[in-house]
Amino acid sequence: MKLVRYGAKGSEKPALVDSEGQLRDLSAHINDITGDMLDDGTLDNLRSLDPNNLPIVEGDPRIAPCVGDIGKFLCIGLNYSDHAAETGADIPEHPILFFKANSAVIGAYDDVIMPRGSTHTDWECELGVVIGKTAKYVSKVDALECVAGYCIVNDVSERHFQTQLTGQWTKGKSCDTFGPTGPWLVTRDEVPDPQSLGMSLDVNGQRMQTGNTATMIFSVAEIIEHLSQLFTLHPGDVISTGTPPGVGMGIKPEPVYLKKGDVMELRIDGLGVQRQEVGRDD
């Protein structure tokens, strides 16, 4: 099942994508797609609905972030061995964790706006994991049962802010609009193996990133196990699980960064497509 939120910011409505790719409104059944409706029981009830009996969403509405009222936005750094190599970093012994501010979250087709003074804004195609069940001290054997579904995340990063403004990576990860999420939340029954998903990112039609979640250093299950030993994961939390090689900062002989008017397009097998145009805030 592919769940979607649509509509203007602050007025989003829930929907699902039918077999023909049409949006079918779910407002008569749930208020929104948020953590409090991501439990297996609610998802099973939605799955039992006949899409043909749901109203078609007319027109071409904005596609909103696929999860509303995100709790924690957790990100894993350097989680692909070939990406670590291109940045000159050592393979981490444990998952590297940083947070992205929830105010960075936007829809999959909303514009990404570089902040004032930005000169090193970069792209990162990532598999997003949406938690659907409270997870505390979970083993990796049971970890995927805590997942409601999966989505695409563009972990947009301002590298100068990230590495040169004294402090944590969060500074370069949390700028407004730096968290495109969606377009769909694909429930876990449609993603039987999250470690076998092809992924790519193009900038202005040129392929920059090509990868597969099979090359993650820490699997989705291992990440959930690790994080749940440290703090409780709640329904509606989102984990962005790292990026494959091909980011701008890794390009040789000179890094390449985003500029106004650039267009990013991201794909992950079965999870849809994102597309963002880049603007500036100055």
Side-chain angles (χ1 to χ4, degrees):
M1 182 169 55
K2 297 177 176 67
L3 298 174
V4 180
R5 300 171 69 244
Y6 71 95
K9 187 175 181 179
S11 302
E12 295 89 346
K13 295 182 178 181
L16 59 77
V17 183
D18 68 16
S19 60
E20 303 299 319
Q22 294 179 305
L23 298 189
R24 298 281 184 161
D25 187 81
L26 287 170
S27 298
H29 301 275
I30 54 173
N31 293 325
D32 200 351
I33 300 170
T34 56
D36 58 3
M37 61 72 55
L38 293 177
D39 60 280
D40 287 345
T42 301
L43 293 178
D44 285 343
N45 288 339
L46 295 179
R47 201 175 284 112
S48 70
L49 298 173
D50 182 352
N52 293 318
N53 294 329
L54 299 171
I56 292 176
V57 176
E58 302 291 350
D60 186 23
R62 168 183 176 259
I63 301 300
C66 61
V67 181
D69 295 330
I70 291 173
K72 298 184 285 294
F73 203 128
L74 307 155
C75 300
I76 306 300
L78 299 175
N79 195 33
Y80 287 72
S81 55
D82 34 12
H83 172 56
E86 75 174 344
T87 62
D90 295 332
I91 300 298
E93 182 179 357
H94 307 287
I96 294 174
L97 174 66
F98 61 92
F99 285 74
K100 187 182 285 283
N102 291 8
S103 54
V105 177
I106 58 172
Y109 308 111
D110 292 339
D111 291 346
V112 166
I113 306 299
M114 295 187 294
R116 292 179 181 176
S118 171
T119 56
H120 293 70
T121 297
D122 205 347
W123 54 84
E124 294 191 15
C125 180
E126 307 202 359
L127 172 66
V129 178
V130 181
I131 299 298
K133 181 188 302 182
T134 300
K136 180 70 170 176
Y137 302 129
V138 175
S139 73
K140 65 181 180 181
V141 174
D142 300 319
L144 296 186
E145 294 300 310
C146 300
V147 175
Y150 301 90
C151 63
I152 305 173
V153 172
N154 189 354
D155 178 22
V156 185
S157 308
E158 214 300 338
R159 302 300 188 187
H160 180 80
F161 295 3
Q162 178 185 354
T163 62
Q164 301 301 314
L165 299 185
T166 305
Q168 299 180 342
W169 287 4
T170 300
K171 289 183 178 181
K173 300 285 190 171
S174 290
C175 305
D176 294 348
T177 76
F178 274 23
T181 302
W184 310 324
L185 170 60
V186 181
T187 52
R188 72 172 188 268
D189 57 298
E190 292 198 16
V191 187
D193 183 4
Q195 303 309 145
S196 63
L197 302 176
M199 53 203 307
S200 66
L201 183 146
D202 298 347
V203 178
N204 301 328
Q206 180 179 354
R207 180 60 45 87
M208 307 305 290
Q209 288 189 279
T210 301
N212 193 289
T213 57
T215 65
M216 282 185 183
I217 298 168
F218 303 102
S219 69
V220 172
E222 289 169 332
I223 291 168
I224 292 172
E225 177 185 59
H226 179 74
L227 297 181
S228 74
Q229 311 308 306
L230 307 175
F231 46 78
T232 303
L233 298 172
H234 294 101
D237 288 349
V238 174
I239 306 170
S240 197
T241 56
T243 199
V247 298
M249 71 178 296
I251 294 175
K252 303 293 190 297
E254 293 292 334
V256 174
Y257 295 111
L258 293 166
K259 61 186 183 300
K260 184 177 179 179
D262 284 348
V263 174
M264 296 177 282
E265 191 164 284
L266 297 75
R267 290 178 171 83
I268 297 181
D269 291 347
L271 303 185
V273 178
Q274 288 193 359
R275 184 185 185 279
Q276 300 102 32
E277 185 170 340
V278 178
R280 290 198 68 94
D281 207 13
D282 50 14

